[in-house]
Amino acid sequence: MDSMLEWSRAAWRRHLPNVPDINAFVRELGDGTIHGLAHATAIASPDKVAVRLGHEVITHGELDSLGGRHAASLGISPGDRVLLAAPVSLSWLGAYLGILRAGGIAVLANPAYTQAELEGIVKAAAPALVLREISRPDAEPQPWNEHAAPDSVALLAFTSGTTGKPKGVPLTHRNLLISIRAAMAAWRWKRYDRLVHALPLFHQHGLGGLHATLIAGSSLHLLPRFEPEELLRAAEKATVLFAVPTMYQRLEGKPAGDRLRLCVSGSAPPSRAVARHAEEVLGRAPLVRYGTTESGLDTSQVISDPPADTVGIPLPGVELRLGEDGEIQLRGPQVAAAFVESDGWFRTGDIGRLDEATGHLVIDGRTKEMIITGGMKVYPREVEVALEAHPDVAEAAVAGLANERWGEQVTAWVVMRPGAPFDAGRLIEHASTLLAPYKRPKEIKRMESLPRNHVGKIDRRGLR
Ligand code: AMP
């Protein structure tokens, strides 16, 4: 184990060869709050464009004062939770910053969630306020006053647990700041960077890009949905691109610009084919990073290294070890305290090993059964529960099938009740009333019985 700690620390030096005292450097990354650093940026660069979204733009100064107006009109107290489940817009950004500025905790959810899904989150998060639409605040900006501390919870980030019940991850400003700033340092993020992405802001991957922009005083071109041509066109003027492997795979053509200095890929396993394709289209292979909602950004390939089939090495501040079963375990100031076990380590549920050629981490699979489809996480149990709610279904099992377009395709196997007719289309329709589009099974197959292991658990590998 000690050798893995040494390996982790050597990794920090590989990412930041010019920082003499990396421990002190990492500690300082956590001082502050997200909205506090955004406010400092707004004072330093008020007129610089912070975010472009469609035909609208907002400067750092305007965004900061919009956040202040939302903070004044929300009527919440420090520590209150606010569920933000609205489509992305400049107002969404203002409301998000307003919640933090008022000392509140932002609970971010997919606006495409059905009522039933949102109710699950409301039950778990007990928000003081739910925002499904955001109206223009008529209040004057709240005068600047810091209502939060680095160790205040900023986000209750939701991942649905393997049981299908949503699980909130309390992340402090310090967790979030160290996570993104360590990556920014490793990726040489600068004020002049222009990031483009088409990722949702209710997930840490896309939200991290917003945080980096606010902290650095750089610019973000946000695409409200992924359209390959539009992303490629936007990439012409960008210096940094964030995307998931499915997106890289669907890009066709060549961007005219040569400003793009960094493409980052994460959230799902990369493949050689996708890396090669991205390199052809963009002129550079994506830099792979790995992280989880609970632990932030944890590993990254080194910015100057040649492309490889790995997820890189620990980012500054992250200690990584492999359990006996190969499970990746993490420790560090990025990790949500609530998810640390009594021995001080967070269990990721991912299975990893060190690649002999590069000495970098490779992910082989997951102990948890999560499906990653188009970069979005789907927990089989949640889809099974939805299908089993249909009166004709006796039982259902769900797993991801390897698929070129989606990475993994949500696929269901159902056992019908005796005498009940099987109609895959009707079952998918039924699932649509309970699940967001990306969670719905793309294919449903009929079975006489489900394969189970010796303790009665469904054998999802057997299904595949
Ligand atoms: P989430 O909490 O939604 O960010 O999901 C975290 C999970 O995504 C991890 O536990 C991994 O299974 C997976 N993941 C994230 N990044 C990568 C990557 N670069 N390669 C493989 N899997 C990844």
Side-chain angles (χ1 to χ4, degrees):
M1 280 314 170
D2 285 350
S3 71
M4 289 222 66
L5 293 186
E6 258 168 53
W7 171 78
S8 298
R9 284 162 187 276
W12 307 354
R13 287 191 291 279
R14 285 275 290 117
H15 283 297
L16 302 180
N18 298 325
V19 173
D21 183 347
I22 296 190
N23 285 315
F25 178 82
V26 169
R27 252 194 321 274
E28 280 171 23
L29 298 182
D31 293 341
T33 59
I34 300 280
H35 53 281
L37 293 179
H39 184 64
T41 291
I43 290 170
S45 318
D47 301 325
K48 178 149 183 210
V49 169
V51 178
R52 170 181 299 277
L53 177 63
H55 297 296
E56 294 180 293
V57 293
I58 190 163
T59 65
H60 283 282
E62 289 163 346
L63 184 52
D64 182 60
S65 89
L66 184 62
R69 291 214 299 279
H70 277 281
S73 71
L74 284 169
I76 57 164
S77 309
D80 278 351
R81 295 163 173 197
V82 180
L83 173 57
L84 187 50
V88 71
S89 64
L90 296 186
S91 310
W92 188 102
L93 301 173
Y96 172 61
L97 279 176
I99 295 165
L100 299 184
R101 188 150 157 171
I105 300 172
V107 184
L108 305 180
N110 187 340
Y113 270 170
T114 63
Q115 199 55 34
E117 288 166 320
L118 275 184
E119 276 162 19
I121 290 191
V122 166
K123 221 168 140 191
L129 190 65
V130 177
L131 300 176
R132 295 225 61 182
E133 281 167 36
I134 304 164
S135 42
R136 266 188 94 77
D138 39 24
E140 283 297 304
Q142 194 179 67
W144 174 255
N145 204 341
E146 183 57 274
H147 293 287
D151 292 310
S152 308
V153 174
L155 278 186
L156 195 62
F158 268 86
T159 70
S160 50
T162 39
T163 55
K165 276 219 182 81
K167 161 179 88 176
V169 179
L171 292 162
T172 64
H173 287 273
R174 193 187 302 282
N175 292 146
L176 294 165
L177 286 177
I178 297 188
S179 176
I180 193 63
R181 290 167 103 188
M184 288 164 73
W187 299 340
R188 313 288 183 261
W189 203 285
K190 296 287 183 309
R191 261 188 89 235
Y192 55 71
D193 271 317
R194 294 179 65 155
L195 167 67
V196 61
H197 78 62
L199 300 161
L201 294 184
F202 55 81
H203 184 266
Q204 295 306 302
H205 194 170
L207 190 69
L210 173 67
H211 289 166
T213 304
L214 297 175
I215 294 165
S218 50
S219 299
L220 166 63
H221 185 170
L222 193 57
L223 303 181
R225 71 193 68 79
F226 171 62
E227 303 278 356
E229 280 127 62
E230 275 181 39
L231 185 59
L232 206 56
R233 206 173 314 127
E236 285 176 21
K237 296 198 185 104
T239 63
V240 182
L241 167 65
F242 278 7
V244 296
T246 319
M247 293 179 178
Y248 283 110
Q249 189 208 333
R250 290 188 53 202
L251 295 179
E252 295 293 345
K254 219 171 181 64
D258 53 4
R259 278 170 246 189
L260 203 58
R261 66 168 188 90
L262 173 66
C263 299
V264 178
S265 173
S267 289
S271 78
R272 235 306 122 87
V274 171
R276 226 177 281 124
H277 176 76
E279 195 167 6
E280 263 168 37
V281 176
L282 298 166
R284 56 181 57 254
L287 187 85
V288 177
R289 94 319 177 263
Y290 157 75
T292 77
T293 301
E294 295 90 335
S295 60
L297 277 160
D298 303 305
T299 71
S300 169
Q301 293 178 336
V302 179
I303 192 156
S304 50
D305 279 2
D309 263 347
T310 75
V311 297
I313 51 178
L315 281 161
V318 176
E319 291 173 339
L320 187 155
R321 71 179 190 186
L322 297 171
E324 273 179 18
D325 51 358
E327 183 177 27
I328 299 170
Q329 304 181 4
L330 300 164
R331 188 166 73 176
Q334 291 90 337
V335 182
F339 288 82
V340 171
E341 310 246 323
S342 53
D343 64 358
W345 292 82
F346 164 64
R347 273 53 179 177
T348 61
D350 294 314
I351 300 293
R353 67 185 153 82
L354 295 192
D355 173 51
E356 279 182 19
T358 56
H360 287 199
L361 183 70
V362 173
I363 298 179
D364 281 332
R366 302 185 286 273
T367 55
K368 43 192 186 189
E369 298 142 339
M370 179 174 69
I371 300 166
I372 304 184
T373 183
M376 302 290 279
K377 310 295 178 337
V378 178
Y379 289 90
R381 191 61 210 141
E382 194 183 0
V383 183
E384 289 163 4
V385 167
L387 287 169
E388 286 171 2
H390 191 283
D392 288 345
V393 175
E395 52 177 355
V398 169
L401 283 189
N403 176 282
E404 271 207 6
R405 170 156 183 202
W406 299 105
E408 288 182 287
Q409 174 194 270
V410 178
T411 308
W413 289 260
V414 298
V415 178
M416 303 305 291
R417 287 196 192 281
F422 172 73
D423 182 339
R426 296 258 305 267
L427 292 179
I428 291 175
E429 229 173 77
H430 159 80
S432 305
T433 61
L434 298 168
L435 302 169
Y438 69 93
K439 294 183 191 170
R440 298 170 194 164
K442 299 274 184 304
E443 194 183 351
I444 301 188
K445 305 176 199 231
R446 182 181 195 171
M447 289 195 102
E448 288 312 310
S449 66
L450 296 177
R452 290 182 185 275
N453 74 5
H454 58 285
V455 288
K457 281 206 164 104
I458 293 168
D459 175 10
R460 289 195 175 75
R461 277 165 202 246
L463 287 172
R464 293 192 198 105

